[in-house]
Amino acid sequence: MDLIFRRANLPDGRNRIDVGIEGDRIVAVEAQLPATAAEEIDAEGRLLSPPFVDAHFHLDATLSLGLPRMNRSGTLLEGIALWGELKPRLQREAVIARALAYCDMAIAQGLLAIRSHVDVCDDRLLAVEALLEVKSRVAPYLDLQLVAFPQDGFYRSSTAERNLLRSLDMGVEVVGGIPHFERTMADGAASVQRLCEIAAERDLLVDMHCDESDDPFSRHIETLAAQTKRLGLSGRVAGSHLTSMHSMDNYYVSKLLPLIAEAGVAAIANPLINITLQGRHDTYPKRRGLTRVPELMGSGVPVAFGHDCVMDPWYALGSADMLEVAHMAVHVGHLTALDAIRACFDAVTVNAAKILHLEGYGIAPGCRADLVLLQAADPFEAIRLKATRVLVVRRGKTIARTPEKVTNLFVQGRPPTVALNFSPGSIA
Ligand SMILES: [Zn+2]
């Protein structure tokens, strides 16, 4: 074999497992694998995970913070207005350079698949061209999936439909939407129907920004689920954000959740962004906007998390760290039970991979040899520590390394790496 990780902990709870790799595929996953390899890595006490997957991002806007100015109110609507000011000034090479810089950050953090929305409401389709170029350039390292996103509204913007179809013709692979931004509820519902029909006609996946508001009557997710059923798109559709569900009437939600589950629609929450952009019209108490993650999970709806934004008109922070995203979800969603914390790890790995329809994702014979070795014993500890990605492997080759942290982290099963003059046990 070419590479064997020895005695690794896996996200499913198995410990001391060897993972053997030949070429770009995993060929063996078992305890005490009776084989040798050109390179063997001692992973004892460390979590070996398939790579992180970001189910929702905006690579055309990332790292543009301050261009042409800062978002002073911190609201979603000022962010959209600001992006509208920047959009006509975008230059292809600058968009490519920022996106590539972000992909570098992502890869170092073990984030090897990103679904990025790309704004198609620019008659030049400059961002579409730029991100298609980025997609091919980063392909050896990172799977970039692009969503045709009509940021200014599919019906609200007069050229959006034509530009969206053009971008699909150019190779953008997922149909996006923004029904809550159309001028009326009826236009929003009509946009969901038309966009789902386009996806069905072209055999494409769907991922819409859906009900990203605090309005409890923003119910486009209901239409999205109904259209998914009508057009037989089950398993191919995701609703992103779904923040209005935070504010909906409980009785209505009790009827809505089974509909979403039955329709086979996935949910993508963006905890860092939802908690900062929602509730901005509230006094106190302030709503925090995250969709009903535990209830969606409990209903059998696949739930993934996205980073959504990093240093752009909507969010000034972020560092391509999907463990930070999961960490925020744990806090905002009251997801502090042990199995809930594990579910949050799944939301930035396996669930997101499933929603993106990634081929060969996972740790099993036949899967792609895409792996991340973490300075943590298990998914719980990975989230607690936002653990260092010691090693990132893509198609069997190491593509990033980060030195382990040399601080007193109390990593499970290991003594503190900096010797203090007392141990915790000595404190009365
Ligand atoms: Zn978004």
Side-chain angles (χ1 to χ4, degrees), residues 7 41 54 75 91 101 145 181 191 299 303 334 350 403 418:
R7 296 173 291 281
I41 294 168
D54 185 350
T75 58
Q91 293 178 353
Q145 187 177 78
F181 195 68
S191 78
S299 302
V303 178
H334 289 168
V350 63
V418 169

Side-chain angles (χ1 to χ4, degrees), residues 239-258:
S240 278
H241 292 294
L242 308 179
T243 52
S244 72
M245 203 187 293
H246 187 98
S247 300
M248 283 174 184
D249 172 70
N250 287 334
Y251 181 82
Y252 175 71
V253 173
S254 75
K255 186 164 163 279
L256 177 64
L257 288 171

Side-chain angles (χ1 to χ4, degrees), residues 56-58 117 149 209 212 240-241 270 308-309:
H56 187 115
F57 196 66
H58 294 264
H117 296 253
F149 175 46
H209 286 65
E212 188 182 5
S240 278
H241 292 294
N270 297 294
D308 199 3
C309 302

Side-chain angles (χ1 to χ4, degrees), residues 237-242 260 265-269 291 296 301-305 355:
V237 175
S240 278
H241 292 294
L242 308 179
I260 300 171
V265 171
I268 299 170
T291 193
L296 284 160
V301 176
V303 178
F305 300 147
I355 292 169

